[in-house]
Amino acid sequence: MADAKTYLNVPYAEKDAAKALGARWDAAAKKWYVPANKDMALFAKWQTEPGLAQLPSDESRKPKADSVVGGTTRSSDKNFVAYDGDEPPWD
């Protein structure tokens, strides 16, 4: 399994430190990972569950059903008034 990747939870502020140790960025998954040839002990502080390599599930990337209706995002603010674009919101 030469392509094995162990994904990490690296905060943005620590990305340079992870990269300096040999972590790589997976643009499709939008996560940092450790290539198979690197020592995992160096990345222990960013592992949530040791030895577990997982991508974020597709379900976690989908918008919540109650926040999107027909492609339109609804606000949870009770004072929000939607702007339909026909007239300026002022006046």
Side-chain angles (χ1 to χ4, degrees):
M1 221 166 143
D3 294 342
K5 297 177 182 178
T6 302
Y7 288 88
L8 305 170
N9 289 322
V10 179
Y12 182 78
E14 298 176 14
K15 70 177 181 57
D16 292 328
K19 184 176 180 180
L21 292 173
R24 299 287 177 244
W25 177 251
D26 185 335
K30 296 184 179 175
K31 296 208 51 112
W32 286 94
Y33 70 92
V34 180
N37 61 345
K38 296 290 180 181
D39 180 16
M40 287 303 302
L42 298 172
F43 305 94
K45 74 185 249 182
W46 297 301
Q47 285 185 292
T48 55
E49 297 178 39
L52 185 62
Q54 289 185 349
L55 284 173
S57 69
D58 288 337
E59 291 300 318
S60 68
R61 292 182 186 194
K62 291 181 182 175
K64 293 186 172 99
D66 63 343
S67 65
V68 176
V69 176
T72 303
T73 304
R74 293 188 304 189
S75 174
S76 59
D77 182 1
K78 66 180 182 175
N79 297 318
F80 177 77
V81 178
Y83 172 59
D84 63 4
D86 292 337
E87 298 178 14
W90 54 90
D91 289 337

